[in-house]
Amino acid sequence: MKQGKWKARGRLGPGAMYHMMMLPGILFLLVFSYVPMVGIITAFQDYIPAKGMFGSEFVGLKHFMYMFKLPDIAQVVSNTLVIAIGKILLGTMMAIIFSVLLNEIRIKYVKKSVQTIVYLPHFLSWVVLASVVVNMFSLDGIVNQMLAFFGLENINFLGSNTWFQPLIIGTDVWKEFGYSSIVYLAAITSIDPGLYEAAGMDGASWWRKVWHITLPGMLPIILLMGVMSLTNILSAGFDQVYNLYNPVVYESGDILDTYVYRIGLVGRQYSFGTAVGLFKSVIGIVLLMSANQLAKKYTDRKIF
Amino acid sequence: MSYSANLKDRIGRFVIYAIVLMLALVCLLPLWNIVAISFSSSEAVSANAVGLVPVNFTTAAYTKIIEDAQFWRSFGISVLRVALTLVLNMILIILMAYPLSKSKRDFKGRNIYMNIMIFAMLFSGGMIPSYLLIKNLDMLNTIWALVLPGAVPIFSVILVMNFFSAVPKALEEAAFIDGANPLQVLFKVYVPVSIPALATVALFSIVGTWNDFFGGLIYMTKVSNYPLMTYIQSLNVNIADLLQAGTNSSELSNLTEISNKNLNAAKIVVAVIPLLLIYPLLQKYFVTGIVVGSVKE
């Protein structure tokens, strides 16, 4: 009936207006998100830029077979997984610990100032922070000066395949723990204060209150965030790795995204690069779907 | 006994304060060190003598930046990019979030649009097809390559959509009765009551665009067209990579000539200043934004 009224006045009804409002955005998505999806066919071709996507020869799964035979790819996938999982586990732990501790800070301006400072690195780009990290961890940087002070061997963090992954994981945790703690702090605030009072009456120590009330109260959100982070398991952080690595540590530092960039784009092997990228996207979407199911099953919430 | 419990409590509290403050310092001091380096003489910097206080205080690095035409060109490109992206993002977010906040019954086709968006968020053609698209559209080395691909920030659309759907229905109905059309309702009712959510996504847009170096890296083939972050990134980049990417030798010599530590530090400081200026605003809004945006029942 409402629709009829609009039409009777000779104007567009809300329905038609709604479609028109959606139009510009959807057009952008079609051009800049969906057209590249069509471009995936280059993964099944020997793409030659001069011949274009519709003139190049189809070669089936050649590039995928090649990819799975390359010795590099196992190394790259394993680097990606180690770095991503390390970041998820340590980052989550650190954010939880920090939010529990920060929650104990009662002096308001101390709490506020600490928050302002620890959120800051999240807003700076890895381009900027890479210089900060290089500055600290280079051979003559402050970290090595400290090692020397304690009589320990110098470590070439940025040029050592043993130390590069821990460095990547550690500095990412450093950048993000403050910001990730926001959701955990919100979860702590929503815990019923009555529980703490009751526990206090029973003589529970601070540690027991944390263990038996705070952590269980945070559990749903911890699970949800954990499940959501599964989605990122094949994106170990292009910006960070790209800005910190160098040929010496390709062996331990190359992740799928940097590999696609290096081999596919810089090396101009467009078809091969697209194939590796597609491999990543497909596994990513499978993981995301599973994560969503897991989230629904265990936390009663879903991601989308 | 109560005294010792009290003492234990106080020690515990002290330890917690100490840990938290230490973590804050660990976040702050490495950044502060860069500021100190930028104000120190290059001799002191190469001798590693700079801690938290500038050694041989000098603003030489900053005067050098003032003369660096490429730095300001890149700065300008970044400002233009942020401005264009912000305008485009906000228009598209608002226009899309409003119809999508309606129920399936009020807006036929809502779920189709929603699926188009979610699929685009989950799956992508990847780096190389995107590059080939921009290349085929002849947008390499234009500002549009830095602006248009990110025109629709899907996560932000969903965030604002959730916010819009919490606006009381009565407000909208009253406006309809007064003869307003959906576009008027959107801009006169929904937008004004949703300022916190809109500010959050606007700030996401600004920060994300300002910080992005990758768009510039793949879509700009000339250093002169680099946005600021790509330019700064190129200062530390491996020369061999550049050669492989086909950068010409005069650009290379430019890059090596200016790569020295305190000058780079000063460039970083200047590049971060715009973010620090909006940081207070940012902090006011993003906590709500994050909590609203990340959790959906």
Side-chain angles (χ1 to χ4, degrees):
Chain A
M1 200 199 107
K2 210 169 165 189
Q3 291 267 1
K5 202 173 73 192
W6 287 99
K7 291 230 170 77
R9 285 201 212 151
R11 295 198 294 192
L12 283 175
M17 286 282 259
Y18 291 161
H19 286 291
M20 281 171 62
M21 289 178 184
M22 294 301 299
L23 189 67
I26 293 294
L27 280 179
F28 273 109
L29 284 182
L30 289 182
V31 175
F32 292 101
S33 297
Y34 282 86
V35 172
M37 289 183 205
V38 179
I40 284 173
I41 58 173
T42 51
F44 303 95
Q45 297 176 322
D46 269 338
Y47 179 79
I48 297 164
K51 289 188 183 166
M53 204 180 292
F54 300 101
S56 298
E57 190 193 343
F58 276 87
V59 291
L61 294 175
K62 177 178 140 188
H63 298 291
F64 292 90
M65 309 297 248
Y66 178 60
M67 172 174 86
F68 289 118
K69 268 191 238 140
L70 268 187
D72 288 7
I73 200 76
Q75 185 71 48
V76 169
V77 170
S78 121
N79 290 342
T80 311
L81 290 175
V82 169
I83 292 175
I85 294 173
K87 283 179 178 179
I88 294 170
L89 287 181
L90 283 174
T92 310
M93 265 170 55
M94 187 69 192
I96 293 170
I97 294 171
F98 178 71
S99 58
V100 169
L101 293 179
L102 189 66
N103 188 51
E104 294 299 319
I105 304 290
R106 304 280 178 226
I107 305 171
K108 221 175 162 192
Y109 69 84
V110 174
K111 191 172 177 177
K112 270 260 175 267
S113 325
V114 167
Q115 282 176 304
T116 305
I117 293 169
V118 295
Y119 297 162
L120 184 62
H122 169 83
F123 292 101
L124 305 181
S125 74
W126 271 117
V127 173
V128 165
L129 293 181
S131 312
V132 177
V133 171
V134 170
N135 189 35
M136 296 199 65
F137 287 91
S138 60
L139 269 177
D140 48 11
I142 182 101
V143 174
N144 270 317
Q145 286 177 24
M146 272 159 70
L147 288 178
F149 181 81
F150 290 112
L152 297 167
E153 287 271 312
N154 272 10
I155 297 171
N156 186 5
F157 290 96
L158 292 148
S160 142
N161 279 305
T162 328
W163 285 99
F164 190 71
Q165 288 178 357
L167 177 78
I168 290 286
I169 295 169
T171 51
D172 183 74
V173 171
W174 170 77
K175 180 178 192 277
E176 301 295 343
F177 82 88
Y179 191 73
S180 349
S181 72
I182 292 175
V183 281
Y184 299 115
L185 267 178
I188 296 177
T189 338
S190 65
I191 297 173
D192 177 9
L195 292 174
Y196 292 101
E197 277 164 35
M201 300 273 209
D202 293 343
S205 65
W206 177 77
W207 173 244
R208 293 193 73 90
K209 285 184 206 166
V210 168
W211 190 251
H212 293 291
I213 303 173
T214 315
L215 288 179
M218 293 164 80
L219 198 60
I221 198 84
I222 295 175
L223 282 177
L224 181 74
M225 299 307 280
V227 163
M228 277 170 68
S229 57
L230 278 182
T231 346
N232 284 328
I233 217 157
L234 288 188
S235 310
F238 177 91
D239 284 17
Q240 183 192 13
V241 173
Y242 183 77
N243 280 300
L244 285 172
Y245 83 166
N246 55 64
V248 181
V249 288
Y250 279 165
E251 186 190 327
S252 63
D254 237 342
I255 55 174
L256 280 165
D257 287 331
T258 54
Y259 189 70
V260 171
Y261 173 73
R262 225 154 45 74
I263 305 298
L265 212 54
V266 179
R268 307 252 160 121
Q269 299 191 42
Y270 293 136
S271 288
F272 177 64
T274 309
V276 180
L278 179 62
F279 168 71
K280 187 201 149 198
S281 292
V282 169
I283 296 191
I285 201 165
V286 169
L287 282 173
L288 184 69
M289 293 299 179
S290 332
N292 200 37
Q293 289 302 319
L294 280 176
K296 241 192 266 185
K297 193 167 166 196
Y298 291 107
T299 68
D300 265 345
R301 298 169 203 242
K302 53 181 178 159
I303 308 162
F304 52 86
Chain B
M1 188 200 136
S2 94
Y3 177 75
S4 78
N6 208 341
L7 184 71
K8 212 175 138 195
D9 220 43
R10 282 165 99 179
I11 294 174
R13 198 144 289 271
F14 176 78
V15 170
I16 291 175
Y17 269 77
I19 296 175
V20 167
L21 288 176
M22 198 195 71
L23 285 172
L25 288 181
V26 165
C27 284
L28 186 66
L29 296 185
L31 304 177
W32 185 249
N33 178 238
I34 293 288
V35 178
I37 287 178
S38 75
F39 282 109
S40 303
S41 69
S42 41
E43 295 78 34
V45 175
S46 18
N48 269 305
V50 185
L52 299 175
V53 186
V55 177
N56 304 332
F57 183 91
T58 164
T59 52
Y62 290 91
T63 31
K64 245 186 185 165
I65 292 182
I66 292 174
E67 292 159 12
D68 181 351
Q70 183 56 46
F71 182 86
W72 295 110
R73 187 177 153 81
S74 292
F75 196 98
I77 291 172
S78 276
V79 170
L80 179 65
R81 177 191 193 186
V82 167
L84 289 173
T85 309
L86 181 65
V87 171
L88 196 59
N89 280 352
M90 292 317 286
I91 293 175
L92 293 175
I93 289 170
I94 292 170
L95 282 181
M96 294 176 90
Y98 176 65
L100 289 173
S101 71
K102 302 297 158 210
S103 69
K104 197 168 71 181
R105 210 165 46 85
D106 288 335
F107 176 31
K108 295 205 171 53
R110 175 193 181 272
N111 286 2
I112 298 172
Y113 289 121
M114 207 59 207
N115 286 333
I116 291 177
M117 287 197 351
I118 286 178
F119 189 70
M121 189 162 74
L122 304 184
F123 189 75
S124 76
M127 190 186 295
I128 289 165
S130 304
Y131 167 78
L132 292 175
L133 171 72
I134 297 293
K135 194 176 164 204
N136 290 332
L137 290 175
D138 260 335
M139 292 203 299
L140 291 183
N141 286 309
T142 67
I143 188 85
W144 304 113
L146 300 176
V147 172
L148 299 184
V152 185
I154 300 172
F155 178 79
S156 296
V157 175
I158 293 177
L159 196 150
V160 174
M161 175 191 89
N162 285 336
F163 207 90
F164 278 175
S165 52
V167 173
K169 269 245 159 225
L171 282 176
E172 181 179 31
E173 275 157 20
F176 274 135
I177 289 168
D178 290 342
N181 67 38
L183 213 55
Q184 288 167 323
V185 172
L186 171 57
F187 284 99
K188 297 210 167 122
V189 178
Y190 278 79
V191 169
V193 299
S194 306
I195 295 298
L198 294 174
T200 308
V201 295
L203 293 164
F204 284 164
S205 164
I206 296 172
V207 173
T209 316
W210 184 262
N211 279 342
D212 177 68
F213 79 100
F214 188 60
L217 182 68
I218 63 175
Y219 298 139
M220 301 297 130
T221 55
K222 294 186 196 128
V223 173
S224 60
N225 289 329
Y226 277 178
L228 190 57
M229 286 300 160
T230 315
Y231 171 68
I232 291 183
Q233 202 276 328
S234 72
L235 299 179
N236 331 324
V237 88
N238 195 302
I239 305 291
D241 277 356
L242 272 181
L243 277 174
Q244 219 179 342
T247 311
N248 68 44
S249 56
S250 71
E251 279 169 346
L252 266 185
S253 68
N254 264 335
L255 288 178
T256 43
E257 186 187 327
I258 50 184
S259 70
N260 75 57
K261 255 180 160 180
N262 65 331
L263 186 57
N264 284 357
K267 284 179 177 156
I268 283 169
V269 172
V270 177
V272 165
I273 285 174
L275 281 184
L276 291 185
L277 291 181
I278 62 162
Y279 190 59
L281 269 176
L282 194 69
Q283 233 209 328
K284 192 169 146 203
Y285 288 115
F286 71 72
V287 173
T288 14
I290 282 302
V291 175
V292 174
S294 59
V295 182
K296 189 174 169 252
E297 38 104 34

